[in-house]
Amino acid sequence: MNASSRSPLLDFTLPKDLEAHEPPEARPSVPGRDQVRLLVGYRGSGEVRHHRFHDLPGLLRPGDLLVVNTSPTLPAAVHLDKLDVHFSTPLPGAGEDGELWLVELRRRTGKSSSPYKGGSPNEWIPMPGGTTLTLLRRRTQRLWVARLSTSVVPYLHRYGVPIRYGYVWEGWPTSTYQTVFAEAQQPWEDGSPDTGSAEMPSAGRPFSTELVTRLVSKGILIAPITLHTGVASPEAHEPPYAERYEVPPTTAALVDHVRTHRPGGGRVIAVGTTAVRALETAVDDQGRMRPSQGWTEHIVTPERGVRAVDGLLTGLHEPRSSHLMMLAAIAGEELVKRTYDAALAEGYLWHEFGDLNLLLP
């Protein structure tokens, strides 16, 4: 066990009543996406303040840069009689017989599910629509390398639904899981088809069109990256594995411009841990951002630190999650602990439909 996994920062108790069970706009007390609560922590002073998300333009400065993830959310879960198949991410390259994907099998129990420990290499699983999923080999204790007998993304758009864990009490349409930044994806430079995220890049969800307009009107910059997220591990708390990303040339140039002109007040603020992972993959040893795309296995830890990011806008993460190490790398462990203590004390809501946390220098 490494030092970060022993840290008290990563080990707290999340009460069940602080889990967000539905989208905020489905709650009578929250009239829209941008009305969720926003907990702001300032590294310089150690101060923690309470806001609503629609206050964000007043909390940022002209010249600040928000880097957002444009990956759309796939309906990545397919229901079988007793199992759910969660399609996580395609593997680099394709075999002669088609696409290889990482998938997770989960046993359904009522409205919840848990990892299914069965399955064996070369087992065939009948799927809706007359297709077949072949389990090839285990990649991790819970993830399989598998092949579907048809193209995966079109199949998911016909037969899939968004991935949902037990704390979300009912199903919601795929549109509920899309951010205002989600884009229709184009083929990659190598000609392979683009996909989308198995689970929503949820830090971008509270943005509304009106709020984006207010941000831009104030002189706050917004730049895109793409990182397609795989399935989470709510039980195992595994570190993230390789995910496909792109930092386009315009974004790389804008990040460098803002950082070069820091005396004017500009800060690079990642919207979501996915944006951090993409940016920190693309920055070189001298701290310059390089346009790039491909597969990243980069994991941000306090020991490795960050080179490209000054602040982070993100959701509230579960105990022992590897994401908390990233937060500590950006804001320092003391401030992260202070904000999480405040979130627990003031009843902030966790998970993809929950409240947000903004960490600033």
Side-chain angles (χ1 to χ4, degrees):
M1 182 179 293
N2 60 36
S4 357
S5 64
R6 291 195 303 265
S7 168
L9 165 69
L10 303 178
D11 194 8
F12 59 90
T13 299
L14 177 60
K16 292 293 185 183
D17 61 353
L18 296 187
E19 296 181 326
H21 302 306
E22 67 283 296
E25 58 270 25
R27 302 174 210 140
S29 61
V30 185
R33 288 188 178 208
D34 61 7
Q35 298 292 321
V36 295
R37 300 173 74 185
L38 177 63
L39 183 62
V40 186
Y42 297 88
R43 182 170 186 174
S45 65
E47 186 179 8
V48 175
R49 297 181 183 176
H50 303 278
H51 293 272
R52 289 285 173 178
F53 194 81
H54 64 76
D55 297 333
L56 184 62
L59 300 171
L60 302 179
R61 304 193 294 241
D64 282 343
L65 171 63
L66 293 173
V67 180
V68 302
N69 189 355
T70 62
S71 178
T73 307
L74 290 170
V78 178
H79 295 324
L80 309 182
D81 287 341
K82 296 181 180 179
L83 293 178
D84 287 343
V85 180
H86 290 182
F87 285 81
S88 178
T89 188
L91 294 175
E96 294 181 358
D97 297 325
E99 307 167 50
L100 298 181
W101 277 66
L102 290 181
V103 303
E104 180 182 19
L105 306 180
R106 295 183 68 89
R107 184 189 296 277
R108 278 208 314 279
T109 53
K111 293 185 179 181
S112 186
S113 66
S114 60
Y116 175 63
K117 297 182 180 180
S120 58
N122 298 315
E123 179 178 349
W124 290 12
I125 299 177
M127 301 283 285
T131 61
T132 300
L133 181 73
T134 304
L135 305 178
L136 299 178
R137 59 186 179 275
R138 286 191 182 273
R139 178 68 173 268
T140 69
Q141 186 176 3
R142 69 187 180 94
L143 294 173
W144 285 89
V145 177
R147 180 183 293 115
L148 190 68
S149 60
T150 188
S151 183
V152 171
V153 173
Y155 178 82
L156 292 177
H157 282 296
R158 182 170 183 181
Y159 294 102
V161 296
I163 288 176
R164 174 170 66 94
Y165 297 111
Y167 53 80
V168 177
W169 289 346
E170 61 180 275
W172 297 90
T174 305
S175 59
T176 309
Y177 291 81
Q178 304 298 355
T179 73
V180 296
F181 305 115
E183 295 181 350
Q185 300 300 303
Q186 303 299 319
W188 296 85
E189 289 181 356
D190 62 10
S192 60
D194 212 341
T195 55
S197 287
E199 298 185 9
M200 174 176 54
S202 55
R205 191 185 189 278
F207 286 89
S208 62
T209 303
E210 184 270 338
L211 181 61
V212 171
T213 301
R214 288 172 54 211
L215 288 164
V216 173
S217 298
K218 188 177 177 180
I220 295 159
L221 307 170
I222 299 176
I225 60 90
T226 299
L227 187 141
H228 297 321
T229 68
V231 295
S233 54
E235 297 86 10
H237 304 292
E238 297 169 356
Y241 41 84
E243 294 170 317
R244 198 153 197 184
Y245 80 100
E246 178 184 17
V247 176
T250 52
T251 295
L254 193 53
V255 170
D256 277 347
H257 174 78
V258 169
R259 292 177 66 82
T260 301
H261 293 81
R262 190 179 303 280
R267 300 167 293 183
V268 177
I269 300 167
V271 177
T273 58
T274 58
V276 177
R277 196 180 197 200
L279 292 173
E280 294 298 325
T281 299
V283 69
D284 66 18
D285 292 339
Q286 286 70 48
R288 297 196 62 182
M289 188 62 54
R290 303 296 185 187
S292 63
Q293 67 172 238
W295 295 83
T296 177
E297 297 185 17
H298 188 84
I299 298 175
V300 178
T301 65
E303 292 76 20
R304 298 179 73 167
V306 290
R307 292 191 177 99
V309 173
D310 302 308
L312 173 62
L313 177 64
T314 184
L316 293 164
H317 301 285
E318 293 182 330
R320 299 173 299 282
S321 165
S322 62
H323 294 307
L324 291 173
M325 294 191 295
M326 179 186 291
L327 271 61
I330 295 169
E333 185 169 322
E334 182 177 345
L335 179 60
V336 175
K337 186 177 187 308
R338 189 186 298 265
T339 57
Y340 272 66
D341 286 345
L344 291 166
E346 296 297 325
Y348 279 68
L349 296 181
W350 260 250
H351 303 310
E352 64 267 32
F353 293 140
D355 297 314
L356 274 287
N357 177 207
L358 175 62
L359 297 169
L360 291 173

